Amino acid sequence: PGSQFKPDARSKCVPSVFSLKMAGKIQQYVACKKALTQFIGKQNCAPIMVRLAWHDSGNYDKRISEWPACGGATGSIRFAPEINYGANAGLAKGLKFLEPMKAEYPAVSWADLIQMGSACAIEATGGPKIPMKYGRVEAADSSACPEETSRGTGGNAGLPDAMAPFGCGAQDAPTHLRNIFYRMGFDDEGIVALSGAHTLGRAFKDRSGTVPNASGEENATKYTKSGCPVRHDATSGDYMPGGKSWTEKWLSFDNSYFTTLAEKQANPELIRFPTDEALFQDEKFRPYFEKFAASQEDFFEAYSRAHKKLSELGAKFEDGGFTLPEE
């Protein structure tokens, strides 16, 4: 298991060069996490930080043992051709947000920085604190990018689709979700819990292409126009208008994704994809859906576990990895 500091095997009294370097490294990680959390809160960019990290780790294939061919949280998404896959449209902006952080805190690997951004985003928007582990080795170049069809899907290196036709060949949404997430090692509870992160963010015509709403005030819904109190602190903040959201307060991490979907009458101003409806229509998904709709505490607990697992898929941790001191 990872630890905060690696003990010096040669002496219990005099710190080794290794332990001193490790202490300095951890200080950079702590400072980076603080700066990143503040940046995300100011820029209202939590959704793209979550999406960037998920799409980096979401191509993991448990059937492949070699690293980095197995995919996962390696930081390979920063290279072409992967960043240019259709499912990753718009994520270059997320990488641009992180570039100044990487320059200021060079000890933080790209693989760690991408996953750190997602965990900070969840916490900055009112969600649970994810018990993160760091020390991921970053992919060195584009040779680490998985080929688009390498996961048995029609494209996008095995990332999930919102609606048919499903790249994995599934004929319905529940089967598609299981095909994609079972390949990563998740169970039904994990699938439903991770889906709950759609409480954050929006879809755009000029990104995923799954909704008719592009970016811009003229394309906004009543919840994505400028000035809506969508943050968890009930303020609007400054954000790019447009797109369509799953929830009314799409910069607040809570269980409203489930409570909104539980309403019998769909709100035309909000997203409801087949993969969303699958969570309450499928008999095996439904108990978890109802549990999370009834209890935000239960959702946060399950989500935190699933997020941590997703953030570590395929990761190669240097010296077993490490955690950060409690704040």
Side-chain angles (χ1 to χ4, degrees), residues 163-182:
M163 60 188 74
F166 298 112
C168 66
Q171 297 302 303
D172 58 75
T175 302
H176 171 63
L177 288 174
R178 291 191 172 97
N179 285 348
I180 297 300
F181 286 93
Y182 282 9

Side-chain angles (χ1 to χ4, degrees), residues 17-320:
V17 172
F18 179 90
S19 63
L20 289 173
K21 284 185 176 179
M22 194 63 188
K25 184 174 184 176
I26 288 176
Q27 286 180 347
Q28 275 207 33
Y29 271 73
V30 171
C32 182
K33 181 176 183 290
K34 181 179 180 180
L36 193 49
T37 301
Q38 292 175 344
F39 175 83
I40 290 169
K42 182 178 180 180
Q43 293 292 323
N44 290 314
C45 61
I48 199 171
M49 292 291 97
V50 174
R51 182 169 167 245
L52 176 64
W54 281 36
H55 283 215
D56 188 47
S57 57
N59 55 40
Y60 175 69
D61 192 331
K62 67 181 183 180
R63 300 166 295 186
I64 302 173
S65 58
E66 297 82 12
W67 186 93
C70 59
T74 68
S76 64
I77 197 169
R78 68 192 197 277
F79 298 116
E82 187 175 346
I83 189 62
N84 297 322
Y85 293 165
N88 295 333
L91 288 179
K93 181 178 180 180
L95 288 172
K96 285 290 185 185
F97 282 150
L98 293 179
E99 285 177 357
M101 298 290 171
K102 176 61 177 171
E104 187 167 354
Y105 307 102
V108 182
S109 73
W110 265 111
D112 276 346
L113 183 59
I114 290 169
Q115 297 303 323
M116 180 186 284
S118 180
C120 289
I122 298 299
E123 192 174 347
T125 51
K129 182 177 177 126
I130 311 299
M132 294 291 286
K133 178 180 176 181
Y134 295 106
R136 295 168 187 78
V137 177
E138 65 183 41
D141 53 44
S142 62
S143 66
C145 298
E147 295 183 5
E148 280 204 89
T149 58
S150 62
R151 304 314 191 230
T153 58
N156 296 317
L159 293 171
D161 300 307
M163 60 188 74
F166 298 112
C168 66
Q171 297 302 303
D172 58 75
T175 302
H176 171 63
L177 288 174
R178 291 191 172 97
N179 285 348
I180 297 300
F181 286 93
Y182 282 9
R183 186 201 74 232
M184 299 184 221
F186 287 101
D187 57 14
D188 285 355
E189 182 183 39
I191 293 172
V192 180
L194 287 175
S195 297
H198 282 130
T199 187
L200 292 180
R202 301 164 288 175
F204 295 86
K205 180 181 180 179
D206 42 336
R207 293 186 186 177
S208 68
T210 53
V211 296
N213 309 77
S215 54
E217 196 74 57
E218 68 279 10
N219 301 305
T221 69
K222 65 186 293 186
Y223 307 116
T224 63
K225 62 184 180 180
S226 297
C228 294
V230 293
R231 288 168 52 99
H232 77 285
D233 58 7
T235 63
S236 61
D238 183 23
Y239 56 82
M240 177 187 70
K244 192 173 185 179
S245 60
W246 283 263
T247 62
E248 294 181 16
K249 296 184 178 180
W250 49 269
L251 282 175
S252 302
F253 194 95
D254 52 30
N255 70 334
S256 62
Y257 171 78
F258 301 105
T259 58
T260 300
L261 282 176
E263 297 173 2
K264 292 184 178 180
Q265 187 66 37
N267 184 337
E269 296 282 322
L270 298 173
I271 292 172
R272 186 178 283 203
F273 291 139
T275 44
D276 301 314
E277 295 175 333
L279 304 181
F280 60 82
Q281 292 175 347
D282 180 86
E283 62 179 16
K284 293 182 178 179
F285 284 152
R286 190 182 305 118
Y288 300 111
F289 174 89
E290 293 176 344
K291 178 182 179 181
F292 299 153
S295 170
Q296 182 166 284
E297 182 179 355
D298 287 344
F299 167 52
F300 277 15
E301 182 181 351
Y303 178 81
S304 183
R305 288 196 309 271
H307 185 123
K308 176 177 172 61
K309 179 174 181 174
L310 181 65
S311 78
E312 296 176 6
L313 294 180
K316 181 166 72 171
F317 289 95
E318 189 175 8
D319 296 309

